Amino acid sequence: MSDIRHDWSRDEVLALFELPFADLLQRAHAVHRAHHDANTVQVSTLLSIKTGGCPEDCAYCPQAARYSTGVKAEKLLPLDTVIEHARQARAAGATRFCMGAAWRSPKDRDLPKVAAMIRAVRGLGMETCATLGMLSEEQAEALHSAGLDYYNHNLDTAPEFYGDVIGTREFQDRLDTLEHVRKTGMKTCCGGIVGMGETREQRAGLLQTLACLPEHPQSVPVNRLVQVEGTPLAGTALLDPFEFVRTIAAARILMPVSMVRLSAGRAEMSDELQALCFFAGANSIFYGEKLLTTGNPDVAADQKLFRRLGIVAMQLDVPAETGTVHTDIMEHRTGVAVETAV
Ligand code: SAM
Ligand code: DTB
Ligand code: SF4
């Protein structure tokens, strides 16, 4: 029987969180091994192509113009700067390049510029991902035509906690953007943030909502809140690290085939905590010294951690500069269908 389900109830998800820690981890790790190579981790590099000055009010975000966080508003980066960053990311071993913009949604005049970036990064033989805010169907199609592989748009938190964190757009707006992206055939990268003062039931609610989407997102970033001075969420009580591991484990059980990304917050995590997250089913990270505006472990530290844990970075078998990208090729390398739609 397939373990891919879209009908999880909140109580079932909560019951996973309430298992004894060892039982939860054993179950998650078994699901992980059934679908993935447990010693391979996918690495993506992020670049902020348009930083700061965002009109939205997301209470966690250092890029919202209304909070005094020290992040300066910048213009969209020029194409050659983006290409240079992508080359460096590829040289360091990243296989996916994710471009983020501090927009509520892209302006139509920006789209051709972002499309040119997508084409250039694809030309370097990397997978492409973008996170630009809300998209209309037409905008999603324009990005798809440019060759975008993934669109990142997070649900961020459970529907009932959402209004405590974001007031300038609705939860439904997020679901609509994801629908527009899926319609084009692009893959979705969708997850959320924990450690924002939500309850365990609300963490379960976020994961339940993700697992009950029409398709499981192919990538599920689980961010631990990076507390930035000046944002309303600075000073939030810290989440128990074991509860974070439980969240990763539950995500793995609910979305067996998806890549679960140990995302923001790694700079504040010990190597031991990250190792537990990999055991619990995380198999993707952001790689490179910076996320969008905040820090991330440096490449040397991650390479050392991988060596100590016997982890290898996932490879794409794509000759450099050819312009063709075969994401399916990962099946050859790992023997498992890691990116198959469910
Ligand atoms: N502006 C676009 C949007 O909101 O969709 C794209 C960029 S936005 C920075 C992408 C995601 O980053 C957010 O949805 C949120 O999940 C995550 N994020 C932002 N600030 C964070 C923080 N301080 N800690 C953890 N995750 C954060
Ligand atoms: C996601 O879920 N996490 C990334 C990516 N998608 C775009 C962003 C994390 C941002 C952390 C705060 C910052 O660096 O500004
Ligand atoms: Fe703007 Fe995105 Fe930050 Fe929200 S998360 S304030 S939309 S950049």
Side-chain angles (χ1 to χ4, degrees):
M1 195 187 89
S2 164
D3 56 356
I4 310 295
R5 290 176 47 193
H6 296 268
D7 61 351
W8 289 88
S9 72
R10 179 77 66 102
D11 283 349
E12 281 180 297
V13 180
L14 198 53
L16 291 176
F17 274 85
E18 287 177 357
L19 285 170
F21 190 71
D23 292 1
L24 175 60
L25 257 63
Q26 191 215 20
R27 191 162 153 191
H29 191 70
V31 172
H32 191 45
R33 281 194 179 260
H35 294 276
H36 303 272
D37 177 338
N39 302 309
T40 299
V41 168
Q42 186 263 332
V43 295
S44 303
T45 292
L46 256 178
L47 175 68
S48 180
I49 59 169
K50 195 308 178 186
T51 303
C54 185
E56 300 293 276
D57 71 349
C58 312
Y60 49 76
C61 188
Q63 303 201 69
R66 65 190 74 203
Y67 310 135
S68 299
T69 62
V71 172
K72 282 209 296 284
E74 290 172 14
K75 290 206 177 86
L76 185 63
L77 291 181
L79 178 61
D80 52 356
T81 307
V82 175
I83 295 174
E84 188 45 39
H85 280 273
R87 275 186 204 285
Q88 284 169 12
R90 190 186 62 178
T95 55
R96 192 180 305 169
F97 194 68
C98 179
M99 294 164 271
W103 288 327
R104 171 178 166 81
S105 56
K107 302 256 184 320
D108 285 341
R109 66 163 190 268
D110 296 320
L111 273 186
K113 295 181 189 158
V114 177
M117 294 173 189
I118 293 165
R119 280 191 290 271
V121 174
R122 264 199 137 217
L124 294 174
M126 300 173 88
E127 292 182 311
T128 51
C129 179
T131 181
L132 316 169
M134 294 186 284
L135 294 184
S136 66
E137 275 189 64
E138 295 71 30
Q139 290 176 322
E141 193 43 59
L143 294 170
H144 178 233
S145 304
L148 188 64
D149 298 301
Y150 291 80
Y151 194 74
N152 166 247
H153 199 64
N154 290 337
L155 295 183
D156 277 348
T157 193
E160 72 275 17
F161 188 59
Y162 183 88
D164 288 27
V165 181
I166 299 154
T168 48
R169 74 174 83 153
E170 303 294 319
F171 197 77
Q172 185 59 45
D173 294 325
R174 293 186 181 255
L175 297 173
D176 291 348
T177 291
L178 290 167
E179 170 68 14
H180 299 155
V181 172
R182 278 194 306 269
K183 261 195 186 162
T184 68
M186 274 190 293
K187 295 173 189 158
T188 56
C189 170
C190 180
I193 311 177
V194 294
M196 298 196 292
E198 73 286 341
T199 62
R200 173 179 270 186
E201 193 184 339
Q202 290 164 342
R203 281 186 284 284
L206 165 66
L207 295 185
Q208 180 209 5
T209 313
L210 290 168
C212 294
L213 289 169
E215 269 177 32
H216 291 173
Q218 284 80 10
S219 285
V220 180
V222 181
N223 297 280
R224 190 172 79 170
L225 175 68
V226 178
Q227 299 202 9
V228 178
E229 214 47 59
T231 61
L233 291 183
T236 304
L238 294 181
L239 186 69
D240 176 358
F242 294 128
E243 185 68 11
F244 184 75
V245 180
R246 284 178 184 276
T247 310
I248 297 273
R252 168 51 66 224
I253 293 167
L254 295 177
M255 293 166 280
V257 182
S258 304
M259 303 300 283
V260 174
R261 186 173 306 132
L262 177 54
S263 299
R266 280 200 310 120
E268 293 78 37
M269 290 178 200
S270 68
D271 288 349
E272 297 88 332
L273 176 57
Q274 294 185 61
L276 264 182
C277 291
F278 293 132
F279 185 81
N283 60 350
S284 174
I285 58 165
F286 284 124
Y287 185 61
E289 282 73 23
K290 210 168 168 198
L291 293 167
L292 293 172
T293 64
T294 65
N296 197 44
D298 63 37
V299 161
D302 279 339
Q303 288 176 345
K304 185 171 171 208
L305 179 61
F306 277 18
R307 271 198 309 276
R308 287 168 74 206
L309 299 177
I311 288 175
V312 292
M314 193 176 280
Q315 305 287 313
L316 291 176
D317 282 349
V318 181
E321 312 283 353
T322 59
T324 19
V325 172
H326 300 285
T327 51
D328 295 345
I329 215 104
M330 277 192 273
E331 283 186 36
H332 294 298
R333 300 282 297 208
T334 64
V336 286
V338 290
E339 294 283 2
T340 318
V342 292

